[in-house]
Amino acid sequence: SQKIEQNSEALNIQEGKTATLTCNYTNYSPAYLQWYRQDPGRGPVFLLLIRENEKEKRKERLKVTFDTTLKQSLFHITASQPADSATYLCALGFQKLVFGTGTRLLVSP
Amino acid sequence: DTAVSQTPKYLVTQMGNDKSIKCEQNLGHDTMYWYKQDSKKFLKIMFSYNNKELIINETVPNRFSPKSPDKAHLNLHINSLELGDSAVYFCASSPSLIVAKNIQYFGAGTRLSVL
């Protein structure tokens, strides 16, 4: 069956460190993969989209990699700040997006 | 201006009642969606509409009936509410169904509690 798995345990890191979140998928062959951020009580907000022929995409302190052989995407936040604390969701699909369960990131000062 | 707005933000109601959630987007997008996020925070698509036409219906019970009077609005009506319908419902829109442009913009959510 198709699955999109993200680490369900919260990731706790110190301010200034790099946070790395993982998204693994099975039985999909996505051409695109997206990452969203969700804060408590709010809707997800789009962060980055990466295509299958792109190994890496950057936006300010964010970096996403996409390995279609490993069926994995990594999401990095460098120089993390407490304001980066949120749940991060990966999503993939064609006409419909299927979301992973999300990983909660907690950045302590 | 809020890009995707949905009302109400909170909805508390008794089992068996009928309720509606409204959604409007002012982004000029062609495609709109309803998602359900359950207590485990799993976000799952329910419906999508493109230019007022139903595109996706994810085997949602027919107690749920979406209606799109125009491409800027997508409302969700729920009949005979059940306890299991308690969740946060999100409306979203995207420029089109084309994947490269399928970045989704979400509303703030409607928290439905069925007692």
Side-chain angles (χ1 to χ4, degrees), chain A residues 18-78:
Chain A
T18 295
T20 299
L21 286 69
T22 305
C23 175
N24 294 302
Y25 58 91
T26 52
N27 294 321
Y28 282 100
S29 297
Y32 301 84
L33 189 144
Q34 301 184 28
W35 283 88
Y36 288 77
R37 168 184 173 144
Q38 187 174 21
D39 291 283
R42 300 199 167 200
V45 174
F46 170 77
L47 296 174
L48 282 165
L49 179 151
I50 186 165
R51 296 170 172 75
E52 63 176 342
N53 60 355
E54 296 177 312
K55 292 275 191 258
E56 183 180 295
K57 194 87 171 271
R58 291 176 187 261
K59 179 183 173 184
E60 297 171 355
R61 295 184 295 112
L62 308 180
K63 183 178 89 172
V64 171
T65 62
F66 191 11
D67 189 327
T68 55
T69 303
L70 289 179
K71 295 187 181 296
Q72 181 181 78
S73 175
L74 298 179
F75 177 81
H76 307 271
I77 306 175
T78 56

Side-chain angles (χ1 to χ4, degrees), chain B residues 27-68:
Chain B
L27 297 166
H29 289 169
D30 287 342
T31 312
M32 294 185 73
Y33 309 82
W34 279 109
Y35 286 85
K36 178 180 181 180
Q37 189 167 45
D38 60 25
S39 57
K40 294 184 180 176
K41 306 298 184 188
F42 183 54
L43 187 66
K44 192 169 190 298
I45 190 167
M46 300 171 69
F47 301 102
S48 76
Y49 271 72
N50 190 60
N51 276 321
K52 303 193 297 173
E53 287 191 29
L54 180 66
I55 303 297
I56 292 170
N57 179 340
E58 278 291 297
T59 59
V60 178
N62 57 15
R63 296 184 295 104
F64 290 78
S65 51
K67 280 194 173 49
S68 182

Side-chain angles (χ1 to χ4, degrees), chain B residues 74-90:
Chain B
L74 180 61
N75 304 322
L76 183 65
H77 188 76
I78 316 170
N79 288 328
S80 304
L81 278 155
E82 299 177 358
L83 292 176
D85 297 331
S86 296
V88 181
Y89 292 84
F90 287 100

